[in-house]
Amino acid sequence: MASKAGFKIGEKVIYPSHGVGEIIDIESQNVADTVLEVYVISFPQDKMTLRVPVSRSSNSSLRGLSTKADMEAVYSILNEKPKRGNKMWSRRAQEYETKINSGEIHLIAEVVRDLYKNADGDRSYSERTIYECALNRLASEIAELDGKSVQSITENLVELLKEKLAVA
């Protein structure tokens, strides 16, 4: 069963603030005498189910998985030199959170690139938390595309970043 917006039951989607989920149903619900069609999206990694109105799915930035061309852009971003901001950490942290919650894979890749450091010991708790969130979101989507485990993709990404840091 496909909805008007084009997502079908069983399709993997990206919800910006939660990452990779799967549409497990498309329901019709009565709300204040109005019939509302909603996607029922399961996020097994968070043990969560979300209902998104079909009519608002594009406004909520619900999207399908990235393409292989998008992945080439992501790896290109990861190979670039990190951009270190001159702003205070609180402002940079806010910008990083905004990028992660945008759901845009290339923005998430920028966060991973900019926050990666070879030695984890010199990171603050908040910096490590933001980095790990971005890395997990990025690895989850790549894993879904490549049909591999999130852990193996995470290890590959960290290895790529380590190699880049060693060359720099």
Side-chain angles (χ1 to χ4, degrees):
M1 172 176 171
S3 70
K4 295 174 190 126
F7 296 118
K8 312 183 284 274
I9 294 174
E11 190 171 350
K12 300 286 185 173
V13 293
I14 303 297
Y15 190 79
S17 56
H18 298 294
V20 179
E22 180 178 357
I23 296 181
I24 57 172
D25 200 4
I26 301 172
E27 297 176 345
S28 292
Q29 296 182 342
N30 273 331
V31 179
D33 296 329
T34 304
V35 175
L36 187 64
E37 189 177 15
V38 296
Y39 292 121
V40 180
I41 307 169
S42 172
F43 298 91
Q45 69 277 9
D46 297 332
K47 297 178 179 83
M48 180 179 87
T49 301
L50 184 68
R51 286 173 171 72
V52 177
V54 171
S55 61
R56 305 227 352 116
S57 62
S58 61
N59 292 352
S60 68
S61 300
L62 183 68
R63 66 173 176 83
L65 293 175
S66 298
T67 64
K68 293 290 183 186
D70 294 330
M71 287 302 109
E72 290 174 18
V74 163
Y75 284 109
S76 175
I77 288 167
L78 292 174
N79 280 311
E80 292 173 0
K81 185 177 179 188
K83 292 179 175 60
R84 302 281 184 220
N86 294 333
K87 299 175 190 165
M88 290 176 47
W89 168 247
S90 60
R91 292 207 189 237
R92 283 186 292 138
Q94 200 171 26
E95 288 176 8
Y96 292 143
E97 292 283 354
T98 301
K99 284 182 175 185
I100 292 168
N101 289 327
S102 74
E104 295 295 324
I105 192 131
H106 65 281
L107 295 177
I108 296 169
E110 288 175 7
V111 175
V112 170
R113 174 201 65 204
D114 294 347
L115 291 181
Y116 175 76
K117 293 180 182 167
N118 199 10
D120 282 350
D122 62 347
R123 278 197 197 134
S124 69
Y125 175 78
S126 61
E127 186 176 357
R128 187 172 55 251
T129 302
I130 292 170
Y131 167 75
E132 288 171 358
C133 178
L135 182 62
N136 186 45
R137 291 270 176 89
L138 184 61
S140 296
E141 188 164 356
I142 295 171
E144 202 56 55
L145 286 167
D146 290 351
K148 296 181 180 173
S149 75
V150 174
Q151 183 178 350
S152 72
I153 295 295
T154 300
E155 290 167 1
N156 291 347
L157 290 172
V158 170
E159 194 58 38
L160 172 86
L161 293 164
K162 266 186 197 173
E163 289 171 9
K164 181 189 69 149
L165 192 64
V167 171

